[in-house]
Amino acid sequence: MKFKLGFASALVLVSSLASMASAHTFLRTLTIDGKQTEVGQCIEPYHGPDKTSGVKDPASDDMTCGFPGSSKDADLCPVEAGSEIRAEFRNYDTEEEADGKFNMAIDESHQGPCFAYMAPLESGGKGDVWFKIFEDGYSSGSWCVNKIRFSMGFMNITIPKDILPGDYLLRTEVIGLQEAMYEYEAGQKKGAQYFINCAHITVSGSGTAEPDGYAIPGIYKQDEPSILFDLDKDDATKYVTPGPPLYVPGSSSAEKAVDQNTSATNNAKAVEHNEPSSSSVENSEISSSTSKPRDCKKKRRRR
């Protein structure tokens, strides 16, 4: 018996596949001192086949700042040590492409942890230079991805108050665990998905801290429990965020938070009963049409 796919069914299938392909995410803007940048400002150009595509191979050089392109130029956005940057994640380029109110950042199936790292800009992200400044896995009954979704795509990152002033790479990372029950193998599409972008910032202040760094790629193993994880079968409440220790301001080096489930104190609080928390989602619906663009340095740095 032959199966015939009607024209209408074919359109539905193509539409569904396209929706799935665009349900990933990328770093779209930064909000600093209450002012939102223009789309892509101070963020390294994304030259992959699809700017929302995730990296699959945890040993790939693409793990550093996402898929490489012909240019690593970007404006430098000024930020004061100890202040907060609000990162905006989206799965589309224009407002018209948004796929529903809570799916505008990333599809609900792509649950997993989120991170932010820093490294001196002059390093180009190469070598033992990356230190973790933010992490949130599964805490207070919710994955970090779900918190981003219900915060309308925003994630709050605090720049360490004691950090040495200078130019830095700010690396954001969202890990989708929807297919993480399989190990990554070259040539196949299964495994965890890493959505990575890098921004350029200039940190001001009087700090002197130079945290211990780690090399990226090199922070994950494809068979470690936090990367090889089954969302349907494994216990999320026992999930431990992967990667190097979280840097704690005031410490001589990075220190692991005592409780991994409560380490993300600068992120959105838990979403209870599928509703965003008021403290972290307050004023989260920031539109580039209503926010004044952030005045960033016109000097461009190539790494």
Side-chain angles (χ1 to χ4, degrees):
M1 178 178 176
K2 293 184 178 180
F3 175 76
K4 294 183 179 180
L5 184 65
F7 180 71
S9 298
L11 286 178
V12 172
L13 176 60
V14 171
S15 176
S16 297
L17 291 174
S19 177
M20 289 175 62
S22 63
H24 298 157
T25 195
F26 70 101
L27 179 63
R28 189 169 183 259
T29 67
L30 303 173
T31 298
I32 305 171
D33 292 338
K35 297 180 180 179
Q36 189 174 32
T37 64
E38 296 177 356
V39 174
Q41 188 176 12
C42 298
I43 300 170
E44 292 190 357
Y46 200 93
H47 296 279
D50 174 4
K51 68 173 61 179
T52 69
S53 294
V55 177
K56 284 298 193 74
D57 183 358
S60 167
D61 288 339
D62 297 334
M63 288 291 292
T64 305
C65 281
F67 293 111
S70 59
S71 172
K72 291 297 184 183
D73 282 354
D75 290 334
L76 283 162
C77 275
V79 57
E80 186 176 351
S83 66
E84 187 175 80
I85 292 180
R86 174 170 282 191
E88 179 197 26
F89 296 94
R90 288 290 183 267
N91 60 20
Y92 58 87
D93 278 323
T94 64
E95 299 296 332
E96 290 74 21
E97 296 178 74
D99 180 23
K101 184 177 180 181
F102 295 123
N103 279 338
M104 65 173 56
I106 186 170
D107 189 81
E108 62 182 338
S109 66
H110 290 38
Q111 298 297 331
C114 316
F115 305 92
Y117 290 79
M118 290 177 65
L121 182 60
E122 63 182 6
S123 71
K126 299 183 182 301
D128 296 337
V129 295
W130 293 99
F131 55 97
K132 185 191 293 181
I133 63 169
F134 169 84
E135 64 179 5
D136 188 11
Y138 187 90
S139 60
S140 302
S142 182
W143 286 102
C144 180
V145 163
N146 225 31
K147 296 172 190 175
I148 290 178
R149 291 180 61 249
F150 282 97
S151 293
M152 307 307 292
F154 293 97
M155 181 176 81
N156 298 329
I157 303 167
T158 299
I159 303 301
K161 61 183 179 182
D162 61 349
I163 205 73
L164 184 72
D167 296 338
Y168 286 90
L169 289 165
L170 174 64
R171 176 184 181 273
T172 60
E173 177 182 19
V174 176
I175 301 181
L177 298 174
Q178 70 276 10
E179 294 181 338
M181 70 286 289
Y182 304 101
E183 284 188 38
Y184 168 81
E185 293 181 7
Q188 59 93 8
K189 299 181 180 180
K190 303 296 184 181
Q193 296 181 20
Y194 310 88
F195 304 102
I196 301 161
N197 290 100
C198 284
H200 294 192
I201 60 174
T202 296
V203 177
S204 61
S206 57
T208 59
E210 298 180 75
D212 293 341
Y214 298 81
I216 301 177
I219 56 174
Y220 304 136
K221 295 181 179 179
Q222 62 184 21
D223 61 348
E224 66 177 280
S226 297
I227 299 299
L228 185 62
F229 187 89
D230 191 327
L231 286 172
D232 294 325
K233 297 180 179 179
D234 294 334
D235 187 353
T237 63
K238 297 181 180 179
Y239 185 82
V240 177
T241 50
L246 181 70
Y247 176 68
V248 178
S251 63
S252 58
S253 61
E255 297 177 353
K256 198 65 173 178
V258 175
D259 185 355
Q260 293 290 347
N261 291 332
T262 58
S263 64
T265 56
N266 59 342
N267 191 24
K269 291 185 178 180
V271 178
E272 297 182 359
H273 307 298
N274 293 327
E275 296 180 358
S277 69
S278 58
S279 61
S280 61
V281 188
E282 182 179 2
N283 298 323
S284 64
E285 296 187 28
I286 302 174
S287 169
S288 58
S289 62
T290 58
S291 299
K292 182 179 178 181
R294 174 73 178 172
D295 295 328
C296 295
K297 296 180 182 179
K298 294 301 180 184
K299 179 177 67 173
R300 299 173 72 85
R301 293 292 299 273
R302 181 187 298 273
R303 67 174 182 85

